[in-house]
Amino acid sequence: MKKVVVSAPGSTMLFGEHAVLYGGAAIACAMEARIRVEVTLRDDREVIIRSVLGDLHAHLDRLPDDPTHRFVLELLNRWRSRLMAGVEITITSDFSHKVGLGSSAALTVAVAAAFRHLCGLPSKPRALLDECLVVVRNVQGSGSGTDLVASIYGGTVLYRPDTRTITPLGEDLPIALYYCGYKTPTPEVVARVREERMMIPALYDHLYRVMNECTQQATGAVRENNLKRLGRCMNVYHGLQDALGVCDKTLADMTYDLRAKGAIGVKISGSGLGDCVVALFDPAQFEGSNAIPELEGFERLPVTVSKCGVYVESDPE
């Protein structure tokens, strides 16, 4: 019996939301909060998936259309001729499934890497990205691949989807995430923005160009460790997200409250209409007993940038 354990980090988007779907660049960072998959080859063609979202028992040659495990099932459809047998897949996570944090991307990356390892194929980052991007787009219809890049490579990365260029930007940023308590699925938000763009496409395209320029300015700020400039870029990008219509009252209130508590930059992290806001703090101001502030009524998620992307935690037995 062959078994492998693979983990991949979750991620958070710092810049590039929405604009990345129209050719813009994006910045994301991998988080030291990981999804782990334990994959065991069986001696029959049964498939068993176990996770906090629920279990699934099926046959490799008759895979169901199950939205709960749609990313894993899409991978199984692609790999069943090479696996040659059924599998048991156990999924665990360091963070709640209710929070986004690139969980679908991290899961897709971890399972794809596990299948490659079991079949004796190398998990070269570029090949893994290409495969996982096809899976994500088949499942949800679109996707830039930015969260996949963060889960595969780790650290803070600049990603240009038009050229598939990946640039490491470092491994440490003084940021914190605050969860608003609900999340609108990304495909729904993207579809809503796309529909509204059709009314005034030229204006929206101009917004996307400004968003991309903001991402480029933020890239320079990260490289120079200029937190004041980076925070200003975050505040500007948040305003552009608001212009797209993806900032609701809860997110707006959280943003202004965190700025009042001393954050030098705050913006929506991700597609919007729920999930998290990301705040940047000056370490010189918040150290020792003067800890990074809480936000009453909302969960603060500790953020440590993961230096390591996807990796095999235990080899086949």
Side-chain angles (χ1 to χ4, degrees):
M1 184 176 294
K2 297 178 69 176
K3 179 173 70 175
V4 65
V5 178
V6 177
S7 76
S11 62
T12 189
M13 196 87 152
L14 298 181
F15 288 91
E17 295 94 339
H18 295 284
V20 74
L21 298 175
Y22 294 88
I27 300 174
C29 65
M31 296 176 56
E32 200 53 79
R34 308 180 73 87
I35 285 182
R36 290 173 180 80
V37 297
E38 179 183 292
V39 183
T40 305
L41 283 177
R42 295 174 57 88
D43 56 6
D44 54 27
R45 296 192 59 84
E46 297 299 302
V47 170
I48 299 173
I49 303 173
R50 302 184 182 92
S51 79
V52 70
L53 297 178
D55 298 343
L56 181 144
H57 193 157
H59 194 278
L60 188 59
D61 300 317
R62 298 183 297 276
L63 293 173
D65 183 12
D66 178 11
T68 301
H69 300 290
R70 57 195 186 278
F71 292 95
V72 177
L73 291 170
E74 178 68 22
L75 279 165
L76 282 166
N77 271 315
R78 293 174 58 86
W79 278 87
R80 58 182 160 190
S81 62
R82 285 175 285 184
L83 287 170
M84 301 300 292
V87 290
E88 293 185 21
I89 303 173
T90 301
I91 303 164
T92 57
S93 176
D94 292 339
F95 53 93
S96 170
H97 65 278
K98 296 179 182 179
V99 183
L101 302 186
S103 56
S104 297
L107 174 62
T108 302
V109 167
V111 174
F115 287 173
R116 286 177 170 272
H117 206 73
L118 287 172
C119 294
L121 298 175
S123 292
K124 294 183 178 179
R126 183 67 56 157
L128 194 57
L129 173 60
D130 290 344
E131 177 183 5
C132 291
L133 188 55
V134 170
V135 169
V136 167
R137 289 176 174 172
N138 284 348
V139 170
Q140 60 186 34
S142 65
S144 68
T146 306
D147 46 4
L148 295 170
V149 169
S151 289
I152 292 170
Y153 288 85
T156 302
V157 291
L158 172 70
Y159 177 55
R160 295 182 174 89
D162 53 346
T163 59
R164 299 282 183 91
T165 304
I166 299 157
T167 306
L169 296 179
E171 298 166 349
D172 188 29
L173 283 174
I175 58 175
L177 287 172
Y178 297 82
Y179 178 53
C180 75
Y182 57 90
K183 174 176 169 57
T184 303
T186 297
E188 290 184 22
V189 181
V190 170
R192 185 182 305 187
V193 172
R194 184 181 292 117
E195 182 179 352
E196 293 180 352
R197 174 184 174 273
M198 293 175 65
M199 292 186 288
I200 42 176
L203 182 56
Y204 270 65
D205 289 347
H206 183 65
L207 277 175
Y208 294 138
R209 287 193 292 272
V210 177
M211 285 176 146
N212 188 49
E213 175 59 27
C214 191
T215 300
Q216 301 301 332
Q217 293 289 331
T219 300
V222 173
R223 284 174 168 159
E224 298 164 12
N225 196 32
N226 188 330
L227 295 184
K228 184 176 180 180
R229 180 178 163 199
L230 180 60
R232 185 62 190 143
C233 289
M234 291 175 69
N235 293 333
V236 169
Y237 204 99
H238 176 82
L240 297 170
Q241 289 172 290
D242 195 5
L244 288 183
V246 298
C247 180
D248 57 24
K249 184 178 184 304
T250 299
L251 297 174
D253 289 346
M254 293 172 70
T255 299
Y256 282 102
D257 287 347
L258 284 165
R259 289 174 186 165
K261 288 178 178 289
I264 55 179
V266 189
K267 63 178 288 294
I268 297 167
S269 176
S271 57
L273 297 179
D275 207 0
C276 293
V277 297
V278 56
L280 178 72
F281 295 93
D282 183 350
Q285 181 181 352
F286 293 91
E287 60 182 357
S289 60
N290 189 22
I292 289 177
E294 302 292 336
L295 195 58
E296 185 177 355
F298 301 98
E299 179 184 3
R300 179 170 68 86
L301 307 174
V303 177
T304 302
V305 177
S306 174
K307 298 179 181 179
C308 186
V310 62
Y311 71 92
V312 176
E313 293 192 352
S314 70
D315 287 319
E317 298 176 353

